[in-house]
Amino acid sequence: MKNIKIKIDNIEVIVPEGTTILEAAKKVNINIPHLCYHPDQAIKANCRLCVVDVSGSRKLTAACSSFVYEGMEVHTNTKKVRDMQKGILELILANHDQDCLKCLRNGNCELQALCQRFNISKTNLVDTVDALPLDDTNPSLIRDSAKCVKCNRCVDACQKVQEVHVLTHSHRSVHYNITPAYEMPLEQTFCVFCGQCAAVCPVGAIVEKDDTAKVWDAIYDPKKHVIVQVAPAVRVALGDAFNLPKGTIVTGKMVAALRRLGFDKIFDTNFTADLTIMEEGNELIQRLTKGGTLPMITSCSPGWINFIEGRYDHLLAHLSSCKSPQQMFGALSKSYYPEMAGMDPKNVYTVSIMPCTAKKYEAQRPEMMTNGVAEVDAVLTTRELARMIQSAGIDFVALEEDQFDNPFGIGTGAGAIFGATGGVMEAALRTAYEVITGKGLPSLNFTEVRGLSGIKESIVLIDDMELKVAVAHGLGNAKILLKQIEKGESPYAFIEIMACPGGCIGGGGQPIKSTRDVKEKRIEAIYKIDEDLPLRKSHKNPDILKLYDNYLGEPLGHKSHQLLHTHYHSRGMKYNFSELPNHK
Amino acid sequence: MQRLEGVRQMNSTKTESFGILTRELAQEIDKTINHYRSNSTKLVGILLDIQDIIPKQYIPREVAAYVSEKMNIPLSKIYDVISFYAALSDVPRADYVIQLCDSVVCKVTGNTTLRDTISQLLGIKEQESTPDGKYWLEYTPCFGACDISPAMRINGKVFGHLTTQDSVKAVLDQYR
Ligand code: SF4
Ligand code: SF4
Ligand code: SF4
Ligand code: FES
Ligand code: FES
């Protein structure tokens, strides 16, 4: 590709043809203000905040949507440019509920940062916040259109990445808005609560439902034994919130912080990820050898479950009946755990730390009960945990490393890689291969299913059986595999689907600014954790073996079915047009 | 139990009963869609035709959802279109939809008398309907009746030279 030489604020910069002014400026550390621009998304060019002065052009130019040309001279800091940008910000603020002190994005908000940069404290325009009612009736997300700057990033995530098509722009001019069809609350739409919209929103207009207060209450309640589990993807992302380099592995400090917060026991979801492999791997073997619906599809991503239960409920037979690792942990925390410790399950309060907003929804599903109590009492996203740590005044970076507690403290490498797309597949193959053949695997790494390409596939030879498998992440990609199944053309025996791009490391509850580059670093970190662990196969986890010996019996046995499996069912979100009334 | 409420509430809202979409209406909609060969670039035309045969002249959610399924277009996209075009409505209007032009020529020739007279006679403002659901008032861009301006449209029929109260009243009298 041709290189182009331009000047930005008199600094020379050479970039490949097809680079935008905004990206070229980044190269020389000039940060042109922007709101609708997002590095992973298509150009939208609707906020006009990124305008710059290009010599020879009378009008100002949007830097996010204009490509460089040879000899271009750009000025980003002229009076005209700054006045325009200030003007736009003032207009946005005039229609913005300026509620920073109470806003979840306080201190982490792109609009706030821009106002600080332009020294705008209060607009002299008359405020006319004209907004739709607050949508806060679902367990996962809150949409507050009074804070929406109408940048359309969430629409891009919902339509182009996830292809769920819940959010859209609607109406015109002053009534222009971002909303689901007919202004429906999210839970009455096909929304899967993946939170990918919240993850790209520059402001506090879509945020996770904050459950930290509930957790503080439980911690301070002397009658409650409060335990916590942490998902595999959290430990490679939490550090972002404390300005550590992206992809830093903070497992030990995270455990230490949780202990300081006052949790009675700190456990690892990697343990129940291993347990999931035991159950799901054996379910696959059973379907392969005894006959059963194939391809079998994984069931650990609740955003994905919401998707299939909503839109593709005719394909539910393909789902594994396993609960997710979060709920398997929850079920054990209200059965095995209190029985061993001689406690009443009612006094155990189980918290999960998850990279995911859909996990909040999953935990509230009516069927996720064990011994008459909720399996998981509260779910916090990585962002909420970071807020709790900050609010407790803990100096995270300075913490001494600590270790998970027993009996759910040992996770293998197989459990760890659940956090990245392809991980469940790889973990399952490590176990299925050895269980079926009775032989050790020559190489543990199934690298074909790793990485960020949308759909990955592989063929594994197990004895003389050729097992075709596929992995999809992001629901847009999942759709492609589902359409194959619909047509009866799926060549696969086993499919892994994760709702979020990149898998859980890119979950909707991860620290803000989880861009593609950041996801790559987190994936590297996840496989590093795997490589460094002495145990890398779920069926070699000694505590898992003990759990089966002492309590569960065998995989897919009676007790397992009772505690670790469930029935997924249609969400009943589709209209049934076959039963229309006749004209009265 | 509080934790279950959210989810229960969710599951109860699923397929709301059909108030407007009858079997007959569905057949008419099928005809319209077939007439346009299910061509998604003709969505606006299709929706306008459908709106014409729905009482109160709007596209309710269940109808939009029906079109969405038949044409394989996301509901959100259909809503985007309905809310974007002034000629389409996502809320019930009325038996008679009165449209006033608010473009330049009509403004110059004085459509204020027209507007005030209607507001007075019917007691409604822009984007409002009378309590009996009979009349709805809205503004539209120019509909090409500039030569007889100031003009209005009722259910698509154009009336011009509406400069006096009496001329306005005479037109409304035709719609009782
Ligand atoms: S969205 Fe940003 S600017 Fe708006 S109230 Fe929240 S923190 Fe403040
Ligand atoms: S949570 Fe996911 S499905 Fe729901 S609106 Fe956001 S992006 Fe769309
Ligand atoms: S909700 Fe957030 S991402 Fe969506 S348009 Fe509004 S400000 Fe942008
Ligand atoms: S960032 Fe360029 S127009 Fe929004
Ligand atoms: S300006 Fe009113 S009809 Fe053309």
Side-chain angles (χ1 to χ4, degrees):
Chain A
M1 208 188 290
K2 224 172 88 193
N3 273 338
I4 307 251
K5 197 196 283 179
I6 68 167
K7 270 189 176 169
I8 305 178
D9 296 340
N10 297 321
I11 303 169
E12 206 166 82
V13 41
I14 300 171
V15 287
E17 196 175 7
T19 307
T20 61
I21 301 175
L22 193 126
E23 279 155 0
K26 258 195 214 166
K27 289 248 156 77
V28 283
N29 298 319
I30 294 173
N31 181 8
I32 298 174
H34 55 264
L35 264 180
C36 70
Y37 165 84
H38 187 283
D40 298 343
Q41 297 187 344
I43 295 167
K44 292 176 281 303
N46 59 35
C47 75
R48 314 311 288 180
L49 208 62
C50 64
V51 287
V52 291
D53 221 331
V54 176
S55 302
S57 160
R58 277 179 44 234
K59 282 191 297 179
L60 294 177
T61 305
C64 72
S65 58
S66 309
F67 299 99
V68 295
Y69 54 78
E70 192 59 45
M72 185 185 235
E73 278 186 34
V74 179
H75 292 276
T76 69
N77 252 327
T78 63
K79 176 163 170 36
K80 198 163 141 200
V81 166
R82 283 183 64 88
D83 284 351
M84 176 69 137
Q85 289 165 333
K86 263 181 113 155
I88 293 171
L89 280 174
E90 277 169 359
L91 276 175
I92 292 175
L93 283 185
N95 197 13
H96 186 92
D97 182 14
Q98 296 165 48
D99 182 27
C100 298
L101 283 183
K102 278 192 269 155
C103 185
L104 284 194
R105 291 293 293 270
N106 192 5
N108 191 9
C109 167
E110 294 182 32
L111 178 61
Q112 205 182 39
L114 285 165
C115 291
Q116 201 170 30
R117 171 166 168 184
F118 284 88
N119 203 8
I120 299 173
S121 51
K122 184 81 186 162
T123 148
N124 18 12
L125 298 169
V126 190
D127 295 8
T128 46
V129 184
D130 157 28
L132 298 170
L134 191 76
D135 178 2
D136 64 350
T137 44
N138 69 76
S140 295
L141 295 163
I142 297 180
R143 289 187 59 246
D144 184 357
S145 80
K147 288 182 189 159
C148 175
V149 299
K150 295 164 191 174
C151 68
N152 275 274
R153 286 190 196 175
C154 57
V155 175
D156 194 284
C158 191
Q159 296 194 356
K160 294 207 187 123
V161 179
Q162 298 299 60
E163 293 187 33
V164 185
H165 294 281
V166 167
L167 296 174
T168 180
H169 39 78
S170 79
H171 297 86
R172 269 192 299 187
S173 69
V174 286
H175 301 296
Y176 186 72
N177 235 323
I178 307 296
T179 170
Y182 291 85
E183 275 89 44
M184 298 303 289
L186 286 178
E187 74 271 20
Q188 290 178 32
T189 70
F190 283 110
C191 175
V192 302
F193 305 108
C194 63
Q196 288 301 314
C197 48
V200 294
C201 182
V203 294
I206 310 183
V207 293
E208 65 279 8
K209 182 163 262 179
D210 185 283
D211 288 312
T212 53
K214 239 163 86 176
V215 174
W216 281 122
D217 284 350
I219 289 176
Y220 289 137
D221 183 343
K223 288 192 293 293
K224 292 234 157 77
H225 179 76
V226 187
I227 65 176
V228 61
Q229 59 165 325
V230 196
V234 175
R235 64 205 68 183
V236 295
L238 181 64
D240 290 20
F242 303 97
N243 297 323
L244 290 167
K246 306 289 185 217
T248 306
I249 301 166
V250 297
T251 320
K253 290 185 191 300
M254 176 184 77
V255 176
L258 288 165
R259 213 174 297 285
R260 287 273 287 273
L261 288 176
F263 288 100
D264 293 309
K265 291 278 180 197
I266 296 132
F267 296 125
D268 197 348
T269 311
N270 292 16
F271 175 81
T272 39
D274 280 331
L275 188 59
T276 304
I277 289 302
M278 296 300 284
E279 294 292 327
E280 202 167 74
N282 279 289
E283 190 182 356
L284 177 65
I285 294 168
Q286 201 176 60
R287 289 199 195 193
L288 285 170
T289 53
K290 297 212 180 104
T293 311
L294 293 174
M296 185 175 96
I297 315 180
T298 56
S299 57
C300 18
S301 160
W304 149 241
I305 295 291
N306 290 339
F307 187 64
I308 187 171
E309 288 186 334
R311 277 255 162 90
Y312 288 86
D313 46 3
H314 51 292
L315 299 180
L316 281 169
H318 291 272
L319 269 189
S320 155
S321 65
C322 286
K323 287 181 186 171
S324 69
Q326 156 169 290
Q327 294 306 138
M328 285 200 182
F329 181 93
L332 292 177
S333 77
K334 302 296 165 83
S335 56
Y336 175 68
Y337 181 71
E339 278 168 47
M340 293 298 126
M343 270 185 274
D344 183 344
K346 288 194 185 63
N347 295 334
V348 178
Y349 191 93
T350 305
V351 178
S352 331
I353 314 291
M354 294 285 143
C356 177
T357 48
K359 287 277 172 202
K360 289 178 185 272
Y361 179 94
E362 180 185 40
Q364 291 197 15
R365 292 171 67 113
E367 65 272 28
M368 296 297 173
M369 312 267 287
T370 287
N371 283 328
V373 288
E375 291 168 351
V376 174
D377 297 279
V379 179
L380 301 180
T381 57
T382 312
R383 295 196 286 271
E384 289 164 88
L385 173 60
R387 280 202 293 278
M388 278 185 83
I389 296 172
Q390 278 150 356
S391 109
I394 295 168
D395 181 351
F396 185 81
V397 180
L399 284 172
E400 292 263 347
E401 307 212 338
D402 194 350
Q403 275 180 357
F404 286 112
D405 295 314
N406 285 325
F408 309 129
I410 299 182
T412 69
I417 57 177
F418 262 61
T421 162
V424 179
M425 174 62 67
E426 186 166 342
L429 290 176
R430 287 180 191 173
T431 288
Y433 182 95
E434 298 201 348
V435 171
I436 296 177
T437 63
K439 291 189 288 235
L441 262 172
S443 158
L444 284 187
N445 298 345
F446 294 84
T447 45
E448 280 175 322
V449 296
R450 298 185 180 181
L452 281 179
S453 51
I455 293 178
K456 296 162 281 183
E457 48 174 22
S458 179
I459 301 176
V460 188
L461 258 184
I462 300 186
D463 282 343
D464 47 6
M465 183 170 50
E466 249 191 17
L467 199 64
K468 272 207 170 120
V469 300
V471 171
H473 56 115
L475 294 170
N477 294 322
K479 253 188 194 175
I480 298 171
L481 298 181
L482 293 178
K483 293 223 165 98
Q484 283 179 344
I485 299 179
E486 268 178 341
K487 287 198 212 131
E489 289 168 1
S490 178
Y492 308 113
F494 187 33
I495 293 176
E496 175 201 300
I497 294 181
M498 292 292 152
C500 291
C504 307
I505 51 102
Q510 293 282 50
I512 297 296
K513 295 210 174 112
S514 298
T515 53
R516 199 184 157 96
D517 310 350
V518 174
K519 286 179 196 167
E520 276 167 358
K521 300 234 167 72
R522 288 185 193 153
I523 289 177
E524 261 172 52
I526 287 266
Y527 289 110
K528 172 100 178 39
I529 294 178
D530 173 35
E531 292 281 343
D532 290 350
L533 278 169
L535 296 169
R536 297 180 59 199
K537 292 175 274 193
S538 301
H539 57 287
K540 299 284 186 208
N541 183 330
D543 280 354
I544 289 280
L545 299 175
K546 218 185 286 164
L547 175 68
Y548 277 109
D549 278 350
N550 295 348
Y551 193 71
L552 290 173
E554 51 177 7
L556 305 184
H558 174 70
K559 202 126 204 165
S560 288
H561 263 288
Q562 207 186 345
L563 291 171
L564 310 178
H565 292 254
T566 183
H567 285 285
Y568 294 105
H569 49 77
S570 171
R571 269 169 86 197
M573 301 307 290
K574 286 187 202 152
Y575 282 91
N576 183 358
F577 293 118
S578 65
E579 284 167 19
L580 291 175
N582 286 316
H583 192 68
K584 290 142 222 152
Chain B
M1 218 177 154
Q2 201 212 329
R3 63 177 280 273
L4 300 181
E5 257 163 36
V7 173
R8 284 232 180 83
Q9 194 188 335
M10 255 167 242
N11 289 338
S12 69
T13 51
K14 34 185 160 183
T15 45
E16 59 197 46
S17 59
F18 296 103
I20 291 144
L21 187 63
T22 57
R23 194 170 299 280
E24 288 81 359
L25 180 56
Q27 280 159 3
E28 290 300 315
I29 294 175
D30 290 347
K31 266 191 227 156
T32 308
I33 293 175
N34 289 338
H35 173 76
Y36 288 94
R37 292 167 206 236
S38 206
N39 184 342
S40 58
T41 64
K42 300 276 157 59
L43 183 60
V44 179
I46 293 173
L47 291 171
L48 280 169
D49 284 6
I50 293 171
Q51 178 172 268
D52 276 348
I53 54 173
I54 294 176
K56 310 278 182 229
Q57 307 185 41
Y58 75 116
I59 309 272
R61 181 171 170 234
E62 64 203 60
V63 170
Y66 186 75
V67 176
S68 156
E69 188 174 293
K70 288 281 150 173
M71 296 186 65
N72 201 10
I73 300 172
L75 181 63
S76 54
K77 173 77 201 161
I78 294 182
Y79 185 66
D80 181 16
V81 168
I82 295 173
S83 64
F84 185 82
Y85 289 95
L88 289 164
S89 176
D90 58 329
V91 290
R93 290 191 280 188
D95 300 343
Y96 303 123
V97 171
I98 306 171
Q99 293 173 313
L100 298 185
C101 164
D102 70 345
S103 296
V104 183
V105 180
C106 284
K107 271 191 185 141
V108 172
T109 50
N111 62 356
T112 36
T113 320
L114 179 53
R115 187 192 57 207
D116 293 347
T117 310
I118 292 178
S119 290
Q120 230 170 57
L121 288 174
L122 303 176
I124 49 175
K125 293 199 300 270
E126 189 199 358
Q127 303 298 119
E128 278 179 13
S129 63
T130 52
D132 59 0
K134 239 190 166 142
Y135 304 98
W136 164 274
L137 182 62
E138 69 185 25
Y139 280 102
T140 62
C142 170
F143 42 79
C146 319
D147 53 332
I148 52 167
S149 67
M152 72 171 166
R153 257 191 323 195
I154 300 183
N155 285 6
K157 192 159 177 229
V158 179
F159 301 88
H161 301 301
L162 300 170
T163 43
T164 62
Q165 289 210 2
D166 286 346
S167 60
V168 178
K169 194 158 182 297
V171 173
L172 287 182
D173 280 344
Q174 297 176 36
Y175 294 90
R176 287 225 160 259

